Amino acid sequence: PCPGECVYCPLDERMPKSYLSDEPAAARALTLEFSPYNQMAKRIEALEDNGHPADKIEFILKGGTWNSYPLGYQYWFVLESFRAANEVGTKQIKQSRQSKLTETSPLDKLKKELYVQQRLNEKANHRIIGLTLETRPDCINYHTIWQMREMGCTRLELGIQSTDDKVLEYTKRGHTIEQSRQATELLRNYGYKVDFHLMPQLPGATPKSDVAMMKKVFTDEGLMPDMIKIYPCSVVKGSELYDWFVAGKYEAYSVRELIDVIKEFKTTIPRYCRVSRLIR
């Protein structure tokens, strides 16, 4: 699981922390026993069966905090995903679903084979033209940036959640807004696209503070992401926040107020910024 202790994250021992087993992508992963090869192959096959072209693939890898997984597992997971994209739709796929390499193989061998599969993918029928990984600001450093670049990562989803340090501390997020700035600067210097996750309605927040929090994202020169996801805090069983809710320690402000907050914030979003999610 992710090493974080955020009060709003549910913990289902079958899933990466913060994910629920009935969410579509998570349910597919669980059904396929989290095999990266089978997930990629089955997703491509399903898209094509439904009439979608899959010659260019934007590969978005979800699941907890990417950099907290063992390094060998990270390289192996991406390697197997590339291998599946290269082999799906060919005779080779019938013989290749099991690889000789595993997540415990020597790191140098995993890196070497990943490089081979990346080069093959440049002329494959299903080309991965972008790879997005998901992590926390405090997991971004020179080592992780270089590792993710080797894996082929082009965009990072960062769980900023809030620009208010008091809210971050109260919800046990485990990082500060200054660490978010530092992570964003590093990612920009190394050519990554940056997608912020923002979470209004957190404990300790009010409609007024949430408007100020989200506006700060585009007025603070250390932030200013390329994309954002806005997903209000949800109370989910299995989280510490659920216990707070039951005990009367947390009550979100009204849905009407939330709608007004988001309407006001949307008028301030620059045209260059993509909004890839708005409410769950």
Side-chain angles (χ1 to χ4, degrees):
C2 167
E5 299 179 352
C6 313
V7 298
Y8 41 80
C9 273
L11 181 58
D12 180 337
E13 61 185 17
R14 299 170 298 169
M15 304 301 298
K17 191 175 181 182
S18 86
Y19 281 78
L20 303 175
S21 59
D22 58 354
E23 295 176 296
R28 284 194 299 270
L30 185 61
T31 300
L32 296 169
E33 300 180 322
F34 296 94
S35 161
Y37 189 100
N38 289 337
Q39 286 184 74
M40 176 65 80
K42 291 295 185 182
R43 197 71 185 115
I44 291 173
E45 289 168 358
L47 286 167
E48 292 185 329
D49 287 346
N50 283 304
H52 295 287
D55 55 329
K56 292 182 180 179
I57 295 169
E58 182 183 19
F59 181 22
I60 303 175
L61 225 173
K62 299 292 187 186
T65 299
W66 176 253
N67 308 106
S68 69
Y69 294 125
L71 192 57
Y73 179 82
Q74 295 178 43
Y75 279 95
W76 170 80
F77 201 102
V78 176
L79 156 63
E80 287 294 278
S81 302
F82 268 93
R83 193 167 68 86
N86 291 339
E87 294 177 0
V88 72
T90 69
K91 294 179 181 179
Q92 201 172 358
I93 195 169
K94 296 178 181 178
Q95 305 154 358
S96 299
R97 286 189 183 268
Q98 295 298 321
S99 172
K100 294 178 181 179
L101 295 174
T102 71
E103 62 266 40
T104 58
S105 297
L107 196 58
D108 60 336
K109 290 186 177 181
L110 289 168
K111 288 185 176 185
K112 184 177 180 180
E113 183 59 23
L114 173 57
Y115 181 82
V116 170
Q117 294 297 329
Q118 287 170 335
R119 299 289 78 78
L120 289 173
N121 188 253
E122 292 174 359
K123 296 184 179 180
N125 293 330
H126 305 98
R127 287 176 293 132
I128 295 173
I129 52 86
L131 169 57
T132 298
L133 299 173
E134 185 177 26
T135 193
R136 297 164 51 99
D138 49 330
C139 287
I140 298 296
N141 55 53
Y142 289 108
H143 297 290
T144 56
I145 278 183
W146 179 253
Q147 291 155 2
M148 292 186 291
R149 173 55 46 78
E150 278 193 319
M151 295 172 206
C153 181
T154 54
R155 182 171 67 206
L156 261 293
E157 292 194 25
L158 278 184
I160 300 296
Q161 317 306 11
S162 176
T163 60
D164 186 330
D165 278 336
K166 291 181 180 179
V167 171
L168 291 171
E169 182 178 6
Y170 185 52
T171 56
K172 304 180 184 179
R173 179 60 186 167
H175 66 77
T176 64
I177 188 58
E178 181 56 32
Q179 286 175 295
S180 296
R181 292 191 192 97
Q182 292 169 358
T184 302
E185 181 179 6
L186 270 176
L187 291 170
R188 290 215 187 288
N189 288 345
Y190 282 81
Y192 289 90
K193 292 288 186 183
V194 184
D195 183 354
F196 280 6
H197 292 188
L198 302 174
M199 191 181 289
Q201 271 191 323
L202 281 167
T206 65
K208 183 177 179 180
S209 71
D210 272 343
V211 170
M213 179 270 291
M214 292 192 288
K215 284 184 176 180
K216 186 174 182 178
V217 168
F218 294 109
T219 56
D220 186 326
E221 292 184 356
L223 301 175
M224 298 188 172
D226 304 289
M227 296 173 61
I228 54 172
K229 286 186 175 179
I230 305 168
Y231 50 104
C233 182
S234 297
V235 179
V236 183
K237 284 186 177 181
S239 67
E240 185 177 353
L241 185 61
Y242 180 80
D243 298 333
W244 288 11
F245 176 76
V246 171
K249 188 177 175 182
Y250 168 70
E251 183 178 353
Y253 56 78
S254 72
V255 174
R256 180 68 259 173
E257 289 174 305
L258 174 64
I259 292 171
D260 290 340
V261 164
I262 292 176
K263 282 169 63 178
E264 182 173 352
F265 174 56
K266 280 188 70 179
T267 65
T268 69
I269 299 173
R271 290 185 63 83
Y272 68 78
C273 180
R274 294 177 61 190
V275 182
S276 52
R277 175 180 289 165
L278 184 63
I279 299 192
R280 280 175 166 160

